[in-house]
Amino acid sequence: MMTTSAPERDRAQIVAAKKQRQASRIAEAASAGIKVLLLKVLLLGIVDAISVYALFVLFIKQDWLVFGLVLLVTIIVNVIYFRAKGLPAKYLTPGLIFLLIFQIFVVGYSGYIAFTNYGTGHNSTKDDAVNSLILSSQERVPDSPSYAVTVLEQAGAYSFLVTDPDGEISVGNPDAPLKPVTDAETDASGQAISLPGYTTLNFADIVANQEAIAALAVPVSDDPNDGSLRTPDGSAAYLYLSDLVYDEAAGTMTDAGTGVVYTEDPSQGSFVAEDGADLQPGWKVEVGLANFAKAFGTDSIRGPLISVTLWTFAFAFLSVATTFALGLFLAIVFNDLRMRGRNVYRVVMILPYAFPAFLSALVWAGMLNPQFGFINQVLFGGAEIPWLTNEWLAKFSIIFVNLWLGFPYMFLVCTGALQSIPGELQEAATVDGARPWQVFRLIKLPLLLVSVSPLLIASFAFNFNNFNLIYMLTNGGPRDVTAGVNVGATDILISMVYKVAFVGANRDYGLASAFSILIFVLVALVSIISFRQTKALEELN
Amino acid sequence: MMVKKNGLLAAGAIAVAASLALAGCSAGSSSSGTTSDADSSTLTVWVDADRAAVLKDAAAAFTKESGVKVKLVQKDFAKIQEEFIAQVPTGKGPDITIAAHDWLGNFVSNGVVQPVELGDTAADYQQVAVTAMSYEGKTYGVPYSIENIALLRNTALAAEAPATFDDMTAAGVAAGTEFPYLVQIGPEADPYHLYPFQTSFGAPVFGTNADGSYNPDDLTVGNAGGEAFATWLAAEGAAGRMSVNLTGDIAKEKFYAGASPFLLTGPWNVPDAQAAGIDVSVDPIPSAGGQVAQPFVGVQGFMVSAKTKNAIAANEFLVNYIGSEEVQTALYDVGGRPPALTAAFEAASSDPITAGFGAVGATAVPMPNIPQMGKVWQFWGVTEAAIISNQGDPVELWQKMTADIAAAIQ
């Protein structure tokens, strides 16, 4: 169709002119109309009102980055919808905003985590860490009695009216240690309940001011080493000693008991003593490329990383290859008109697809049990074949189960693609004397691959991260007990990331994110190369 | 024209969502708590579905007396640990959460919980429950239940409780069933269910400090008793009595089908066994190595967020309401696990099954709640599995495991 005849060109011009008229009519209808304008003003008003509110909040929090972003987005949205022109932008904007929030932000944030030490013991800010350290360093003096306490208020300051176990009554506040009083009013049990000049707080008042009251520490004497009284519930007080003293100016924590000084280490995000011991918890800090250095520099991680990467590629490739081969074979068989009862077979073929893969993997794990499983018991007459506990058999079982789970999808896809190939091609080839195998190899397969290739690539990417199957079937095992690392023979990258980062006590989200970035790079590379190949295929036609 | 209007509507909705989401992000990243003061008289409590119904009544009573509202949020128990650690630092977490005691080390090293002062009521609980809820000398939770495994006996197949492991095996053989005894193992073994046998050889995982807390620097698992246990495991594996093919599900089914007189399991499998028509009795776990066979005890309870603004109300609610005999008994009624409060436990002991598990629990040890325990599991199970399936010299494998654990803890 390199040359175009004159009448055809005319017809094309007429169609184009018609389309243009249609478009301008729509545009006119859209821009005119007072109702539409009102609606537009109303909706944008709502958006702007919320934006202004958000801006206020952000201004108060002094969160300038997000403030700037919200401002920018608001201005852009207003400009787009008030301009008469730019219809495409009006349709695109909502989608773009979605993309920004739910894709770009999430990916960007995960990427950012890879450069922090976020994980166990480093999951919040320094203020939280200090607060938490101080909270848990309060230790009740062993065998100290419990004191009945009444919370008093005077001119906005709180005091404790304390009745000790011997019945002695005293009063004190954080600035003035306890001193005995005689004029307190007591109830029937001998507990002091009020003192002239002070207001007694009832439970509701205490609850209303509980943050301040829970923070009160009333020293029992002038010597801070005697400890101070604190009340966890507003009615009973106990004698506490604090181990840790925080010096904000110097950035140090001092253990009052042992005298050890822990100095703030901003590169590590924790308080560290001279001998290297640190206090838990610390806080989250940026650590640069440390996580990547850990992934490649630590022997116990690098070794498994390489073997696991190889197996991941093998697993993903074999999974796609086997499922596609079986799916295609079945599709061709069921596409043959000579086959009777095709619909029944097709439904049966789809069944594995209908079960959740998650459950199927569990069921298969049971069926592959060497001693009690269906496969060995029934099909192999009681032979104890270690399907899931031998390294190579486990790898085989994984691919086999994935074949069972995955071929219906390929079958569906291939059936659809086969039916879109015109029958005339086959007829023409047969007339030319081609054998069925030649027809398939030279005509059907290339045509099929053009439409199926993107799905094969997607399927590869999916299997590359097929965590469910591995986790449910073998949990990455069997493991070599002499290796000393928690990585098994069937672990793929994603399940290894899960184990390195989340199994055990020390969760390391930073390291996990670094691994995720590596996986992303690998999948992206494979996809780019594959799509290039697909393009070459398309050019065949 | 319709198209246009819809587009604009959608755009409006999205822009609203966008600005809200952006504002939300910033709220999350800001560190200083800015929760409004209006929240100060509402306690938010995370609780699992089974416990929620019981707490509803306790919460109502508490609200009536103190004026503090209690908001119960239902959570999937298995997900609470992760979510609590993730949410508390952002200021969005609850004031109180239901928790298992062995999460404690993780919680403390993440700085998300604060100590709870049980005061004089500490003596009212079973000692093991309070010890389990303590970390580095401080109590962090109010316990409500204790659970541990014991020996379930099918009385039709074995008339008497075995005194030692050999007695049990002999009785199992005499019963003429498929298995002399059953304990769940699985491909990565099950150190939790095998632990009583291990302790009977005198090889706990960690040594203990003077106050009963675990000392992560003292790895007693690799002592001579541990080696003896490893050798014993290999022998049981070779004799075919223990097998990595016996997963929890299979062991349970075999017991229900009468294929063995004994099953080592917890209270959670008793109702099904009884439903299967088996007359079960709960016995102490027989000793294999000569010393007392101590299983792990798991304690559940409630813990307080480090960032709560309602510390006093939370403490009051936990100590005086969750710690009351009524609530503890009600929690026992829905969960079937022996209560942690001694008075409630004694009342519940009128049931022989509860009494049986309780008697075993009295001799048991709390599962270590120190974070180092997380490093132990990943080597422990696979090594036991390798020993049971005779994949090498048991003592060598056991020592390799001890070295790996020691290296991982460093």
Side-chain angles (χ1 to χ4, degrees), chain A residues 301-371:
Chain A
I301 300 179
R302 190 182 49 210
L305 182 66
I306 293 168
S307 61
V308 165
T309 308
L310 291 177
W311 161 241
T312 309
F313 274 103
F315 162 71
F317 176 77
L318 286 173
S319 292
V320 175
T322 52
T323 50
F324 179 62
L326 183 61
L328 178 61
F329 173 74
L330 290 170
I332 290 171
V333 171
F334 291 128
N335 209 33
D336 197 315
L337 295 172
R338 287 171 295 177
M339 184 96 180
R340 281 171 186 265
R342 284 178 300 158
N343 288 339
V344 178
Y345 287 123
R346 277 184 180 154
V347 169
V348 174
M349 285 296 141
I350 298 304
L351 274 182
Y353 198 47
F355 290 124
F358 201 80
L359 266 181
S360 302
L362 267 182
V363 170
W364 272 102
M367 292 208 294
L368 291 168
N369 184 309
Q371 201 177 338

Side-chain angles (χ1 to χ4, degrees), chain A residues 405-471:
Chain A
L405 289 171
F407 84 86
Y409 169 74
M410 292 296 180
F411 168 69
L412 274 178
V413 165
C414 291
T415 303
L418 275 177
Q419 279 164 355
S420 73
I421 297 173
E424 299 92 68
L425 282 176
Q426 182 167 3
E427 275 172 39
T430 322
V431 170
D432 285 349
R435 294 171 174 283
W437 173 245
Q438 284 175 317
V439 174
F440 171 73
R441 195 169 62 87
L442 298 171
I443 297 172
K444 281 191 179 171
L445 190 61
L447 283 173
L448 198 72
L449 279 179
V450 171
S451 50
V452 174
S453 290
L455 295 171
L456 291 183
I457 295 164
S459 175
F460 181 88
F462 172 79
N463 278 309
F464 204 85
N465 289 327
N466 198 343
F467 179 78
N468 280 354
L469 175 72
I470 304 288
Y471 191 73

